[in-house]
Each structure stands twice: as C-alpha cells, then as structure tokens.
Amino acid sequence: MVDSQYYLPNDIGISALDCREAFKLLSPKEKLYAHYLSRAAWYGGLVVLIQTSPESAKIYVLLQKMFRAQTPLQMQETATAAGLSAEEYQAFLVYAAGLFANMGNYKSFGDTKFIPNLPKEKFKALVWESLAFKEDPSGTEVLWNSCCEPLYSLEEKQKQLGLGEKGITAYFSGNCCLEDAEFAQKFLDSKNLSAYNTRLFKTEVDGKRCYEVRLASAKTEDCCAEEGEGKTCCGRFEFEDAVFCVKRGDYSFLMEKVCQNLEKAKVNAADENQRRMLEEYIRSFTYGSVEAHKEGSRFWIKDKGPIVESYIGFIESYRDPFGSRGEFEGFVAVVNKAMSARFAQLVSSAEVLLPELPWPPAFEKDRFLKPDFTSLDVLTFAGSGIPAGINIPNYDDIRQTEGFKNVSLGNVLAVAYATQKDKLTFLEEKDKDLYIKWKGPSFEVQVGLHELLGHGSGKLFVQDDKGKFNFDQTAVRNPETGELISSWYKGSETWDSKFSTIASSYEECRAECVGLYLCLSKQVLSIFGHEGEDAEEVLYVNWLNMVRAGLLGLEFYTPESKSWRQAHMQARFVILRVLLEAGEGLVCVKECTGTDGRPDAVITLDRSKINTVGKSAIQRFLCKLQVYKSTADVEGGRALYEGYSAVTSDGAHDFLRLRETVLLRKEARKMFVQANTFIKDDAVELIEYEGSAEGLIQSFIERFPDDSEEVDAQLLEMTRKDSLCWC
C-alpha cells in the first residue's frame, strides 16, 4: 500500500465557494468586467500546469478529454464495465478533482506529489473503456502512454517539488542545481531584470555553460519595435564564464488569451484608473515586462475600494525552489461591505498599533501608507490553490514607498476551517469545543493582523544606485548589538534575491509573529467585536491554533532531503520551537497512545502565561527577525531561522517521531469548487456547482467552452517543446 501522504483520500473535504448573493448585487457592467477578468484569470491559471511538473499538462488533457466525452455520472457505468469497484471509481474522481484544483499533480500546499489511489491497470482499463478512447483510440493511447509512467511514479526525486536531486521543478531544466539558480540570479541582478516571470533552461555548447532565460509573454519575437514594448533586456549576453540568452514567448498562447480578455475587461472598467491598470497588465503579458506589471500594480493600489477587486500575474514565489520566480495567479472577487468595515477600522488604528511592535522606530517605514483592506467573496481564483488572505503586491520597493492592499477572502474562511470534533487531533478534550467555537473568529483576527501589520510593517535599509541611503547610517544602531548598521540592500538587490530559499517562509513567520503579538491588544480584539471573556477566548484559541499548527507542520517536512515543502507550515513549526524554548510550562507537547491503540500526542498551552512568558518570547524573536531582514543580514537571518527549522530527534522532543504520528493522523486539506460565468443574450450568467468531486470536475470541463480542444493542443505542444529538458 502506498504511503497515504501520496494520495488524496476518498472522503476528502470538497466545498463550493458561495458567491451568488455578492454577484447578484453587481450592475450589468460590473458583471461583464468580472466575467472578462475571470476569463483572463482562468486562461492564465493553466500556466501553472506548465510550471508545476513535466507531466501535469498531459494528465490534465487526458482527463479533460475523458470528461468532455462523458460526465462523471455517465462514466460511472463505464467504470463498472471496466472492472472498477465503487471505491476505485471514487478514487479516480478524487484524483481528477485534485489535479484540477491544484493545477497539477503536486499538492499546492506542501508540494508533495499525489497519485491515483487505484491500481494503474484499473486506471488504464477505464481509459480504454471510455467514450473518449472509442472516439479517438490512437490519440488517447498516445496521450496515456506519454503520461502513465510519471502519473504513478514515486521515485525519490519525484515525491516532491525541489531543485536538483531534492525534487522536481519545471521552473528550471532538469540539469539545473542550486548553484545554477544562484549564478542566474547574479546575472539577472546585473541586468536589473526580475526573475518573477521567468524560467531557466541550461545547455552546454563546446564545453561552455549556456542559459536561456525565458520570459512569459504573448510576443515571441525578441526584438519588438512596437510602441509600448518596455525594457525587457532580450538578447545574448556574455557573463563571467557563461552565456545567457534572454528570450520572449514562454506560454505565448495562454498569455495572448489573457491579454485578449483583459482588453474586453478594459471596455467595462469603472474608471480611468482601472483602464490604465489593465493597459499596463496587457503590456506586461504581451512583452514579458515585469516593470509594466509593477506600473499596473501602482494603478491597482490607487484603485481604492472597487466593487469588483482583482489582481493577476506572476505573484507568489513559494513554489520556486530558489524563491524568486512567481507562480501565475489571478483572482476576481466582490467586496463584502460588513466585514470590510471592521478591516477599515483596523487600518485606521494601524498608526497607533505599529509603534507597539518590538523594534526601534528607525526599523519601521517612515510613513505608514494606509492600504485598502477589504473582505472579499471570491468569484474566481485561478492558480494552484486559494489562500485565506493576501497582502500584495509582492514588490518590496512598491510596498515600502507607495503602498499595498490587503484582502481577506470571506467565503473561503467560511468553509475552509470548519472542523468536526471527531477529526480534531492533538488537543485535550476540554479544549476541543472551545477550539471549534472560536477557531473562525480567532483566525479572522490573525489573518487581519498577519496581512496588514505583518506583511505591511518593517523597513528595508537601502542604498540606491546613486549611493543615496534611506536611513541615517551615522545614527541608526542595531538593537541586538548596539553597533551602527553595517549591512543593507544595494542597488537592485531585493528581499527575495538576497534571502532566496528562506525568504518566503521567513517572511510568513514574521507576519505570523506580528499577529500573535498584537492579538494580545484589547484594542485589536475590540475592533473585531470581541470584548471581555469572549476576547480572552479568541486570544487563547489564536495562540492554541498556532502551536497546534506548528505540530501539524511536521507533515510538510521531508527528512530525506532535510527540507521544508510549505512556507507557512515551516513558519508555524519555528514559532512552536520558540514557544517551547521559552519554557516555564507555557507550551507542552506530550506523546501518548490514542484510544485506538496507535501513537498519538497532545499539545497544551497554559493560558495564564501567554501575556507574560509567551509575549516576552515572541517579542524577542520578532525583533531579531526584523533586524536581520531590515539590514539584509542573510548570514545572521539564516542561522537563526534554519536553527529553529531543524527537525531532529535530539533534545526534549523527538520531532522525527512526532512527524510519524502527525502523518498517521493527518486530515487532507479541503478543495474548493468555483463557479463559472457565461454570456447569454448580452447578460452575464453565473453557473454554480455542487461541493463534490463531480461538481469540481464539471466546473473545469465547462470552463473553456469555445476553444477547449485548441487549449488542449497548445498545452501538449508547450509540453512537447520542453520535453527534452527533463530527460
């Protein structure tokens, strides 16, 4: 039997995201705007298949082909005829739903591969019995043969995403290693070229290393004389002992589709600011210019309080093993006015709350740029997964000097974190009812603080290309050492490029710590409507949830490569370690035997010590995190963070053994079913689906009604062109 972490269980939670009421309140023009933005997001989201693994797009096309010919219900009879049991057919449906929901065959949260929980010969029998095979036997057989081996393979390197021997990635050709990624970053920095929208392919010609840096763009020509091209630095460059070729045209078909739909959205934009924003996005996706996307992001920040909110592009860098390349993401959502009012109050209080953070004033931004902070009901979220909250843009130079936005995704929060008592692990019985009652409200507080005052706080010390400093280097001192600041970011260096492989998780940890620290404030809890005893319960459950999440985080650690596969869960484990280290009985993790006779564990938190021992521990740790980040002290930051990230069997806790217990009792992460929009008689209609594997599959089959076969063909062609890069 395959280890359960490599397949999705038949009873996995699948919930529909409800956005009907929010959508109904939109005007006809707003509905058209939302529709075309959604179309752009869905086409762009297919890029993630190409970014995830060499086989993801082929498996996607095979499943699309099968389910376009037969609905999940119709295929049930076919499955029976092919010899599949009811459980095996359900496993097939869950696998297909999982592939669509994750946009690939690796989990978006945790980056482990998942394979079908039915024998390979049964999967093949179903393919051969399907209507798709009967209609096109040779084409379907070729498709099956091209993906059946990697579809089921659990060779060590293919078990998780990673670089070199540590795993699989499609951001780099298969012959690249960490040294290649570091070398390429040096080149990109020398050209002031961002890695966000790139992939890297390495070859060797006459004994000389040659690297192709491929930009995502609709245009395939490297020299475009057209107006609006922007600075993209295409061409051939000698760099040290290697050659770099910067080329356009990665995912060109999909980028063209994105641009076409953004053009249609632009016609329905609410104002000039939205039109300018979309023009810059179009320029970015046409020519491969990150500078244009940054310009679009500036207009986006100025688009205060829109009814229809959206963002699109190469955004989060969690899944690039080096931490610099963005995964494509696009969302469209409608403002939830009641919840947004609370967040607006939090924004108004930010300037009072920021000085409470445990670092000197010089380490905080010179001026807090009040962002939009809204609660949104998601209509569309295309990519590999859906978060609970977002702080964007991720460009630090913009976030630091021009501003940012925070969003909390209300209809995601409403269904994502509902927990059944019998599935609630690692807590004492007396804590379980409390946890279930207050988990949602406490997480809402944590998300708000994490996004606004976590990601939105802290200053980076920078010396620009002209030698100008954004801090007084003759006066600002390091609070840890008392010495004058001796390191900072220079020129084109960024947080991501400097801290690379740990940047994402380190920053998530900093933001989580801010949330824990500031939720101790009665003022903050009052903003979210919690007073008196209720406020105390919210505070306690927020801290309890964090230490439990730290234990659950062990699922996302791979002992063989000593690597973490998920930034947030690594961050929560680090926080657990910090609080355990604080001692005095604040947090206890006790191994035991469960009522089922199998290994178990219980985690406890002494609520009487949160405001003393807990606060002091987080205060000290958070200050260190900020100081290393502000001063670009990679060496110090790495030593601190990697020290707490270490998973060993030494010391007071055998974390490697606890990891086995966590894996034994893990609950699969929920998947979400999203609606589709269609234009009928010049009006936009919303089509929703049931919260099940069948509903999720059907939503994807109906997502590209006009050109699904062309989309399939283009995905296969993109995969074929790069196939030699992973041999």
Side-chain angles (χ1 to χ4, degrees), residues 31-221:
K31 286 179 180 176
L32 282 166
Y33 183 64
H35 168 74
Y36 286 117
L37 286 173
S38 293
R39 301 309 304 149
W42 286 126
Y43 279 112
L46 294 172
V47 164
V48 179
L49 291 165
I50 308 298
Q51 291 179 309
T52 299
S53 72
E55 68 274 6
S56 285
K58 291 185 278 193
I59 304 169
Y60 171 91
V61 172
L62 175 65
L63 294 169
Q64 280 277 328
K65 191 168 180 167
M66 291 174 72
F67 285 114
R68 279 205 302 271
Q70 292 169 283
T71 66
L73 190 62
Q74 291 167 338
M75 201 177 287
Q76 193 160 4
E77 290 178 27
T78 304
T80 304
L84 275 71
S85 68
E87 290 76 19
E88 286 169 336
Y89 182 57
Q90 181 63 20
F92 170 73
L93 291 178
V94 165
Y95 177 78
L99 188 113
F100 292 148
N102 290 279
M103 270 290 100
N105 59 339
Y106 287 78
K107 294 176 189 174
S108 65
F109 199 88
D111 293 345
T112 46
K113 188 174 188 176
F114 59 95
I115 66 171
N117 189 21
L118 73 159
K120 185 176 176 182
E121 57 271 19
K122 291 286 185 82
F123 197 134
K124 182 179 180 181
L126 179 57
V127 174
W128 256 246
E129 193 69 31
S130 70
L131 184 56
F133 186 86
K134 290 178 170 56
E135 289 176 346
D136 179 19
S138 61
T140 308
E141 183 172 1
V142 166
L143 198 47
W144 168 260
N145 288 338
S146 72
C147 68
C148 64
E149 291 305 320
L151 196 154
Y152 273 92
S153 173
L154 282 175
E155 289 181 21
E156 204 55 47
K157 184 177 174 177
Q158 294 180 332
K159 285 182 176 178
Q160 65 280 315
L161 298 178
L163 188 55
E165 291 308 308
K166 289 192 171 183
I168 288 290
T169 178
Y171 287 103
F172 298 85
S173 55
N175 57 352
C176 284
C177 61
L178 182 60
E179 287 72 23
D180 294 302
E182 289 170 341
F183 183 57
Q185 189 63 54
K186 276 178 67 180
F187 165 75
L188 292 169
D189 287 344
S190 76
K191 293 294 176 187
N192 203 17
L193 193 60
S194 170
Y196 264 117
N197 65 342
T198 70
R199 290 195 294 161
L200 187 71
F201 298 85
K202 176 185 173 185
T203 54
E204 200 166 290
V205 179
D206 299 328
K208 193 168 193 174
R209 287 179 298 166
C210 297
Y211 295 93
E212 181 180 309
V213 176
R214 204 180 291 173
L215 307 174
S217 69
K219 291 285 184 188
T220 55
E221 306 88 357

Side-chain angles (χ1 to χ4, degrees), residues 663-715:
L663 288 174
L664 184 69
R665 300 186 176 276
K666 70 184 177 67
E667 184 181 358
R669 193 172 173 83
K670 276 187 180 173
M671 298 192 288
F672 300 111
V673 184
Q674 298 182 61
N676 279 320
T677 53
F678 300 98
I679 295 180
K680 186 178 178 183
D681 301 327
D682 297 327
V684 181
E685 290 189 357
L686 182 77
I687 307 295
E688 294 182 294
Y689 305 86
E690 67 175 28
S692 65
E694 292 90 338
L696 201 158
I697 291 164
Q698 201 58 39
S699 73
F700 267 90
I701 299 309
E702 295 178 11
R703 200 139 275 162
F704 305 100
D706 303 323
D707 55 2
S708 54
E709 291 190 5
E710 185 187 10
V711 168
D712 288 357
Q714 289 288 340
L715 285 170

Side-chain angles (χ1 to χ4, degrees), residues 370-386:
K370 286 190 176 180
D372 252 13
F373 198 168
T374 47
S375 177
L376 306 173
D377 285 344
V378 171
L379 168 65
T380 294
F381 206 112
S384 65
I386 309 178

